[in-house]
Amino acid sequence: MTRKGAQQGKRFCIDFLWKRDNNKKRFILQKNEHNTQILGACFVDSNSSAKHLPLFRGEIALVIAVIINSFGVVLMLYSGAGISAISSVPYAFSEVLPFLTLGTWTYLFQAALVFSLMMLRRRFVVSYLFSFVVGFFFGELLDVHEMWIDVLPKNLPCQVLYFVVSYLLICVGIALSNRCGLPIIPTDLFPRELSQITGIGYPKIKISFDAICLVVTAGMTFFFLGHVMGLGIGTVLAALTMGKTIGIIGTWMDDHFTFATGLHLHKAGQAAH
């Protein structure tokens, strides 16, 4: 890691190389002349000139992502267009075995995914445990949203609106999760980590994971309930287009914000001294 400091008016810029996403990036942390307040920060290519962008704390991004994603999942289901692939398996269990709520089945499913990853790595991974904690709160919020969602009017125009809003909320939430720099929900973590473990490309793993979830959901609900539940045109549409939409939203975020956690900023502050 290399760094340099320079006084620029009332801003002090700390400039040092940072490795992010397997690429060397130059991290610019702007602080005031007394070194007491962070004014802005950015990641840029090491050979590029810095473009100072507003700082978006990773911790805040994660909280927002968990809240809007949990609401988006419940709202999409309420729209009647189907549920997202990653939430379809817990939904199937909640319908077949209703003595536990959707939220409870969600974090039980996530716990199974975390345990599977640790088995594959043959070691205990602390960050996976934190990911499960995030997933637990996600599951609890699913139950909270389900308690009040019925107050919303339910007619065809509203249902179309609910699907569009839920689709965009989930896309924004996943884009924030991918940039927060913190442990993420296990259902998002699993395909990413499995890709690293197996060496198979992430798109293939993600598509296969979603497809398996949908098959399990369809099989469980049809076999035990006599008809397929939870899957609809929205499920198919989301599976085919959500990845691209997340990429577009993520690119916009990268152009307008810099994401950094408290740990990143702490390291940046230490590098300044």
Side-chain angles (χ1 to χ4, degrees), residues 94-113:
S94 70
E95 291 296 321
V96 174
L97 302 171
F99 56 85
L100 293 179
T101 65
L102 174 61
T104 302
W105 279 118
T106 295
Y107 55 74
L108 287 175
F109 176 59
Q110 292 174 343
L113 293 178

Side-chain angles (χ1 to χ4, degrees), residues 174-227:
I174 293 176
L176 286 172
S177 294
N178 290 340
R179 284 157 180 79
C180 70
L182 294 165
I184 58 178
I185 299 169
T187 44
D188 294 330
L189 177 77
F190 184 81
R192 187 188 73 186
E193 293 296 299
L194 187 60
S195 175
Q196 294 178 2
I197 293 170
T198 61
I200 301 174
Y202 176 80
K204 291 183 179 179
I205 292 290
K206 176 61 175 171
I207 292 172
S208 299
F209 177 62
D210 287 351
I212 291 171
C213 287
L214 296 180
V215 169
V216 170
T217 300
M220 282 189 62
T221 55
F222 181 79
F223 183 78
F224 290 102
L225 303 177
H227 59 281

Side-chain angles (χ1 to χ4, degrees), residues 23-42:
N23 294 312
K24 285 185 176 179
K25 299 287 185 179
R26 191 171 295 280
F27 183 73
I28 309 296
L29 177 65
Q30 287 189 324
K31 305 185 82 173
N32 63 8
E33 59 181 334
H34 303 296
N35 200 37
T36 58
Q37 182 181 3
I38 297 168
L39 303 177
C42 65

Side-chain angles (χ1 to χ4, degrees), residues 109-133 183 186 189-190 193-194 197:
F109 176 59
Q110 292 174 343
L113 293 178
V114 170
F115 180 74
S116 298
L117 286 174
M118 290 188 182
M119 291 293 290
L120 289 170
R121 289 198 179 275
R122 298 180 181 179
R123 61 187 176 88
F124 181 80
V125 183
V126 176
S127 62
Y128 290 174
L129 184 60
F130 285 112
S131 180
F132 173 68
V133 173
L189 177 77
F190 184 81
E193 293 296 299
L194 187 60
I197 293 170

Side-chain angles (χ1 to χ4, degrees), residues 133-209:
V133 173
V134 175
F136 173 81
F137 284 105
F138 177 82
E140 289 296 306
L141 284 173
L142 287 178
D143 289 340
V144 171
H145 293 312
E146 280 202 315
M147 291 173 60
W148 67 267
I149 196 73
D150 288 334
V151 304
L152 296 177
K154 198 168 186 179
N155 51 58
L156 184 58
C158 287
Q159 287 177 284
V160 173
L161 176 63
Y162 297 156
F163 173 75
V164 173
V165 171
S166 64
Y167 177 91
L168 292 175
L169 284 175
I170 293 173
C171 289
V172 171
I174 293 176
L176 286 172
S177 294
N178 290 340
R179 284 157 180 79
C180 70
L182 294 165
I184 58 178
I185 299 169
T187 44
D188 294 330
L189 177 77
F190 184 81
R192 187 188 73 186
E193 293 296 299
L194 187 60
S195 175
Q196 294 178 2
I197 293 170
T198 61
I200 301 174
Y202 176 80
K204 291 183 179 179
I205 292 290
K206 176 61 175 171
I207 292 172
S208 299
F209 177 62

